[in-house]
Amino acid sequence: LFTLGFCSPGGHAEGCRRLGVAIAGIDKAADLSDFKRWFDKTVHEVYKDSPVVTILQGDALNDATRARAVSSHPTGGKSVASYDTPPCDPYSTSALVTHSGPSTTKETPARRVTTFANVAEVVGRLYAQFVDTGEPFLVETVQGCRYVPPSGVSSCIVRGVALGLRTTDAHRFYFPKDCPYFLDASVTSTGASLALRCCAGASRSM
């Protein structure tokens, strides 16, 4: 069972489901109907043996809410990993170019996404949980995120083309240094080769 914060609309939940992992998701979005329509209805009609994906409406930064999402999951199991994708618009390339994103100040050194979803807070909480329980985590955001994590946390850039997507779509992943993110050279080299051969160029969508 994986715990997924900021789970709606459900892209990373679907990815985990396809890996055969049950999901306990949390999101504060007012409308979760699309998420529930897909995972509660369509998935169970089309994929009969699919692991169960649930979502609890609430604050993904609240420990009690995360615990409730896990305890209320039909598996009744224990979360073995967390994978959070906090909102990332203020960290996007367009926000950096237009200076429309949040600014860094001495008082707020970590560039905030919103008061609810702060990459620094997400990483900090999940890393503290990792130190306490050993539960590994991933936090995914956009490539332009400038957040510098604590010493026990590292990050890497993963491009969509390396994973077979039709876009370079670079994202930054934060993870514990003791549980590194492995991206095989055969994957990255193949992705780089595909990007260079694409008529749209290496830095543009295919």
Side-chain angles (χ1 to χ4, degrees):
L1 178 64
F2 282 14
T3 304
L4 270 59
F6 315 94
C7 198
S8 182
H12 67 313
E14 175 63 9
C16 292
R17 184 195 69 78
R18 293 185 184 189
L19 291 174
V21 178
I23 300 299
I26 307 107
D27 201 288
K28 72 164 189 174
D31 184 3
L32 298 173
S33 58
D34 286 345
F35 185 100
K36 292 180 177 180
R37 187 180 304 112
W38 174 253
F39 289 105
D40 293 350
K41 185 176 185 295
T42 306
V43 164
H44 289 291
E45 290 175 353
V46 178
Y47 307 103
K48 303 297 184 183
D49 298 323
S50 173
V52 176
V53 178
T54 62
I55 191 164
L56 176 68
Q57 190 173 48
D59 185 347
L61 295 176
N62 182 279
D63 292 339
T65 300
R66 295 180 79 98
R68 190 164 70 254
V70 171
S71 63
S72 63
H73 193 277
T75 62
K78 178 181 180 296
S79 177
V80 298
S82 291
Y83 179 12
D84 283 30
T85 58
C88 51
D89 286 350
Y91 288 101
S92 68
T93 301
S94 61
L96 293 174
V97 170
T98 60
H99 305 291
S100 60
S103 60
T104 301
T105 67
K106 184 177 180 180
E107 290 72 28
T108 57
R111 303 181 71 239
R112 300 188 68 83
V113 177
T114 68
T115 54
F116 173 77
N118 177 0
V119 170
E121 185 171 1
V122 174
V123 173
R125 283 174 175 268
L126 293 182
Y127 179 59
Q129 178 178 274
F130 170 75
V131 172
D132 184 46
T133 68
E135 181 177 321
F137 66 87
L138 282 175
V139 175
E140 179 183 0
T141 185
V142 294
Q143 179 182 12
C145 181
R146 306 301 189 192
Y147 169 60
V148 178
S151 60
V153 178
S154 189
S155 72
C156 69
I157 299 294
V158 180
R159 290 174 171 79
V161 67
L163 305 176
L165 301 180
R166 294 174 62 85
T167 174
T168 52
D169 193 28
H171 282 212
R172 183 177 295 278
F173 286 82
Y174 292 95
F175 49 84
K177 285 185 177 178
D178 291 340
C179 294
Y181 187 118
F182 289 100
L183 195 59
D184 294 340
S186 59
V187 175
T188 55
S189 61
T190 300
S193 175
L194 286 172
L196 291 172
R197 289 158 53 192
C198 169
C199 62
S203 62
R204 293 181 176 83
S205 171
M206 296 182 180

